[in-house]
């Protein structure tokens, strides 16, 4: 039997229940058993399903069961972006054997897991295992049972391909004459077994822990291309030579402008690394060099800034063949003056307390050595030793401010000098200043890597290769996050009109005023389309509420199917921006 719809001239089509048979001559015929035209459409659809061998499911609570429900939306978004930018194909490359495919799937899964819920490798194994799954990640990728050793083997496999993957990213995003950003950071280490872990200058303010140092190469837009791990006691400038070699030899880029901060691109590094390699640079002068430029009859005259905040000067004796762009930020000057005065007052307050202790009858703080140690601790903590004259004797302490020194320093408040080898015809003064300020995008990458988004720390691996693989994995995860942020900018607190706002500024020295669009976002917490605006982390959490349900019919236990929850308006908007269907991501 079957249901057939028959046209009925100008009337609605007839819906007939029919069966097939053969007549006496063996010819196929069909006859009508019933007219179903008056039945509701859903009843007719159910009858068709039954005739095709389906099962009728009623509306009662025992007719259909949810066998398993797993968060899926965030997995679909992250995995879909990896497929869109073909990062998985770049990782796997031409290696097609089953073992490599398994390693690639695990690496992709660890990247996605790092984006949706950063955790240890053991936590990852539990999160994707069929028995203890915390999301649909393992099911979508078909990982099955995952053993802990497989995760570490996948890390080793990934590290062996780091050079090729970074070269592939460079081919995609870099070209001759490009401007690149470079900076370093550090992360503390749990344990003392790794040879990379050493005590050094901790940017995490965890001097009680050994650490590792890693340098990140990014495009001007902040998209990470390569990362390298160094010993925890490595000084920032000494990491630069490895990057120059990487860019010249591995990436094959002949012309490049490297942007680094004043502690990175030093005179020694320019002399020994950048100039021999034929690379240009943009950096900033340290305070002593600025003071030398501003000395009596020097090229830096404060009268240059009576009516402007940017001026280009030259100092061929000190910086031959280079351009110097002097900037004065009045807001920064006011802030530095405030901080200095606060520190001076705080230092005097602490010194007064020490003096009171010295004068107290029966005090143990009497000798000049003991008083000197107490005073030194205060001056070191406040970094104010250069601004005070202190006289110490047995049972005596006096101090006074160095007014001349303070006034001399205050003259240069808010002034910074950009140093570059790029000719003016290639990059004018305003563009050079903006290029240096773009280093903030590397700092934003470090914030995402180290805090709420990816949580690269604490690092618990014991061997140097595993630490390097862990850092590289986190960099790849941020590479995906960067693309997600770009696509989701209308739904995040990002300024989608930042380029326009920068172009409308009177000077690159001034802070960029937020555009009307982002002001409206922050005021109403809504996008231009009326969707609720949130942070990247919150949007990932919200997408996770779109779940993947494995459904079961108790009457036919072998019959199972997948049913996705209905996306919210915000989830629909997020996937529309990604041009993805969450139910089709594999």
């Amino acid at each position: 039997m079957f249901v057939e719809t028959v046209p009925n001239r100008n009337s609605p089509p007839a819906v007939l229940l029919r069966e097939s048979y053969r007549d006496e001559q063996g010819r196929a015929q069909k006859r009508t058993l019933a007219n179903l035209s008056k039945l509701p459409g859903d009843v007719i659809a159910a009858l068709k399903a039954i005739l095709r061998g389906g099962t009728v499911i009623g509306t009662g609570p025992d007719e259909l069961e949810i066998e398993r429900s797993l968060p899926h939306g965030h997995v679909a978004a992250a995995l879909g972006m990896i497929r869109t930018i073909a990062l998985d194909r770049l990782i796997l490359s031409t290696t097609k054997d089953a073992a490599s495919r398994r390693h690639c799937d695990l690496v992709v899964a660890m990247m996605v897991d790092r984006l949706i819920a950063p955790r240890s490798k053991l936590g990852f194994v539990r999160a994707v295992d069929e028995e203890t799954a915390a999301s649909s990640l393992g099911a979508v990728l078909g990982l099955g049972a995952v053993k802990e050793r497989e995760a570490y083997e996948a890390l080793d496999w990934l590290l062996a391909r780091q050079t090729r993957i970074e070269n592939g990213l460079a081919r995609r995003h870099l070209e001759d004459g490009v401007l690149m950003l470079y900076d370093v950071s550090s992360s503390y280490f749990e344990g003392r077994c790794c040879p990379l872990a050493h005590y050094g200058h901790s940017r995490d303010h965890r001097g009680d822990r050994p650490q590792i140092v890693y340098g990140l190469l990014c495009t001007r837009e902040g998209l990470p291309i390569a990362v390298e791990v160094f010993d925890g006691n490595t000084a920032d400038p000494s990491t630069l030579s490895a990057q120059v070699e990487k860019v010249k030899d591995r990436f094959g880029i002949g012309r490049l402008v490297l942007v680094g901060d004043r502690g990175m691109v030093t005179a020694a590094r320019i002399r020994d690394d950048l100039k021999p390699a034929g690379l240009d640079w943009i950096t900033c002068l340290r305070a002593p060099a600025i003071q030398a430029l501003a000395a009596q009859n020097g090229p830096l005259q404060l009268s240059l800034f009576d009516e402007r905040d940017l001026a280009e000067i030259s100092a061929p004796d000190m910086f031959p063949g280079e351009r110097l762009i002097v900037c004065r930020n009045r807001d920064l000057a006011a802030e530095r003056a405030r901080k200095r005065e606060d520190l001076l007052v705080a230092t005097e307050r602490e010194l007064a307390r020490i003096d009171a202790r010295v004068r107290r009858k029966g005090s143990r703080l009497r000798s000049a050595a003991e008083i000197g140690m107490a005073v030194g601790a205060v001056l070191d903590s406040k970094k104010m030793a250069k601004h005070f004259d202190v006289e110490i004797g047995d049972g005596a302490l006096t101090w006074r401010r160095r007014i001349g020194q303070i006034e001399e320093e205050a003259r240069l408040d808010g002034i910074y000098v950009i140093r570059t080898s790029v000719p003016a015809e290639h990059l004018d003064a305003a563009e050079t200043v903006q290029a240096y300020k773009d280093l903030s995008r590397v700092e934003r990458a470090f914030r995402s890597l180290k805090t709420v988004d990816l949580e690269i720390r604490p690092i618990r691996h014991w061997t140097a290769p595993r630490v390097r693989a862990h850092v590289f994995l986190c960099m790849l995860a941020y590479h995906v996050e960067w693309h997600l942020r770009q696509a989701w900018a209308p739904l995040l607190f990002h300024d989608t009109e930042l380029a326009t706002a920068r172009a409308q500024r009177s000077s690159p020295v001034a802070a960029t005023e937020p555009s009307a669009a982002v002001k409206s976002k922050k005021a109403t917490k809504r996008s231009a389309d009326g969707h609720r605006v949130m942070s990247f982390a919150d949007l990932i959490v919200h997408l996770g509420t779109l779940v993947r349900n494995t459904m079961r019919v108790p009457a036919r236990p072998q019959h199972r199917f997948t049913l996705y929850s209905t996306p919210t308006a915000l989830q629909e908007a997020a996937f529309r921006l990604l041009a993805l269907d969450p139910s089709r991501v594999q």
Side-chain angles (χ1 to χ4, degrees), residues 340-359:
R340 184 190 304 107
E341 184 60 28
D342 288 348
L343 287 171
L344 289 170
V345 171
T347 303
E348 290 177 326
R349 184 167 55 247
E350 293 297 324
L351 292 176
R353 289 177 180 171
I354 296 174
D355 185 44
R357 289 175 56 196
V358 171
R359 296 175 181 275

Side-chain angles (χ1 to χ4, degrees), residues 354 363-376 392 394:
I354 296 174
S363 173
R364 296 182 179 179
L365 191 63
R366 301 296 297 173
S367 70
E370 292 173 339
I371 298 172
M373 291 179 62
V375 170
I392 301 173
D394 290 337

Side-chain angles (χ1 to χ4, degrees), residues 422-485:
V422 183
E425 57 268 23
H426 294 161
L427 208 64
D428 64 25
E431 292 172 330
T432 303
V433 173
Q434 185 57 58
Y436 182 77
K437 294 175 74 172
D438 285 341
L439 271 176
S440 61
R441 291 171 176 169
V442 188
E443 296 170 359
R444 187 180 304 122
F446 285 136
R447 284 196 297 272
S448 293
L449 283 167
K450 296 168 68 171
T451 54
V452 295
D453 291 342
L454 301 174
E455 296 184 9
I456 194 174
R457 62 190 182 190
I459 300 169
R460 298 185 175 89
H461 297 284
W462 287 10
T463 65
R466 293 272 170 83
V467 171
R468 290 191 167 96
H470 169 74
V471 173
F472 182 52
L473 178 76
C474 291
M475 189 218 80
L476 292 177
Y478 181 71
H479 187 94
V480 179
E481 179 182 328
W482 186 92
H483 285 283
L484 286 171
R485 285 180 177 273

Side-chain angles (χ1 to χ4, degrees), residues 161-480:
R161 284 152 181 78
Q162 179 174 355
T163 298
R164 183 179 51 76
I165 294 170
E166 290 179 344
N167 292 346
L169 293 176
R171 286 193 300 271
R172 290 182 179 185
H173 303 287
L174 302 180
E175 58 186 12
D176 252 15
V178 73
L179 188 149
M180 290 197 70
L181 312 176
Y182 177 66
D183 204 355
V184 300
S185 188
S186 62
S187 290
Y188 64 88
F189 189 89
E190 294 291 347
R192 292 178 174 82
C193 297
C194 180
L196 293 173
H198 295 278
Y199 290 95
H201 171 60
S202 175
R203 295 165 179 83
D204 299 335
H205 305 291
R206 290 298 303 269
D208 60 323
R209 291 282 188 273
Q211 64 176 19
I212 61 167
V213 170
Y214 45 93
L216 190 63
L217 271 172
C218 297
T219 67
R220 185 171 182 177
E221 294 74 28
L223 177 65
I225 300 298
V227 70
E228 187 160 353
V229 181
F230 304 92
D231 290 344
N233 56 1
T234 305
D236 294 1
S238 60
T239 68
L240 192 61
S241 58
Q243 311 313 311
V244 172
E245 180 182 353
K246 184 182 301 182
V247 170
K248 292 286 291 185
D249 298 340
R250 279 178 41 191
F251 297 166
I253 298 177
R255 295 185 303 111
L256 174 80
V257 181
L258 187 70
V259 185
D261 64 23
R262 68 192 76 191
M264 180 74 60
V265 185
T266 62
R269 299 280 69 79
I270 291 173
R271 182 189 65 245
D272 298 338
D273 296 324
L274 295 176
K275 282 186 176 180
L279 301 183
D280 288 312
W281 63 88
I282 298 175
T283 186
C284 193
L285 294 185
R286 290 177 175 270
I290 296 176
Q291 292 168 359
L293 289 174
Q296 188 175 9
N297 298 322
L300 198 167
Q301 299 298 319
L302 297 181
S303 58
L304 293 170
F305 305 101
D306 291 342
E307 297 181 357
R308 54 182 174 173
D309 57 7
L310 182 149
E312 187 164 343
I313 64 174
S314 62
D317 294 338
M318 300 174 63
F319 305 101
E322 298 182 36
R323 298 162 57 209
L324 300 177
I325 302 162
V326 186
C327 308
R328 186 178 187 187
N329 187 318
R330 290 175 172 78
D331 294 335
L332 178 60
E335 178 63 14
R336 286 184 175 174
R338 182 194 65 79
K339 285 186 176 180
R340 184 190 304 107
E341 184 60 28
D342 288 348
L343 287 171
L344 289 170
V345 171
T347 303
E348 290 177 326
R349 184 167 55 247
E350 293 297 324
L351 292 176
R353 289 177 180 171
I354 296 174
D355 185 44
R357 289 175 56 196
V358 171
R359 296 175 181 275
R360 189 178 303 129
K361 186 177 181 179
S363 173
R364 296 182 179 179
L365 191 63
R366 301 296 297 173
S367 70
E370 292 173 339
I371 298 172
M373 291 179 62
V375 170
V378 171
L379 295 179
D380 287 345
S381 66
K382 306 297 183 185
K383 303 296 188 291
M384 287 286 109
K386 59 184 176 180
H387 292 324
F388 284 94
D389 283 322
V390 181
E391 296 181 5
I392 301 173
D394 290 337
L397 170 63
T398 59
W399 69 89
R400 63 179 178 275
R401 293 188 182 185
R402 294 177 178 173
I403 303 300
Q405 164 70 24
I406 295 172
E407 290 178 348
E408 184 65 24
E409 183 181 272
R411 289 176 60 247
L412 300 178
D413 280 350
I415 289 180
Y416 56 95
V417 181
I418 306 299
R419 174 188 184 185
T420 182
S421 62
V422 183
E425 57 268 23
H426 294 161
L427 208 64
D428 64 25
E431 292 172 330
T432 303
V433 173
Q434 185 57 58
Y436 182 77
K437 294 175 74 172
D438 285 341
L439 271 176
S440 61
R441 291 171 176 169
V442 188
E443 296 170 359
R444 187 180 304 122
F446 285 136
R447 284 196 297 272
S448 293
L449 283 167
K450 296 168 68 171
T451 54
V452 295
D453 291 342
L454 301 174
E455 296 184 9
I456 194 174
R457 62 190 182 190
I459 300 169
R460 298 185 175 89
H461 297 284
W462 287 10
T463 65
R466 293 272 170 83
V467 171
R468 290 191 167 96
H470 169 74
V471 173
F472 182 52
L473 178 76
C474 291
M475 189 218 80
L476 292 177
Y478 181 71
H479 187 94
V480 179

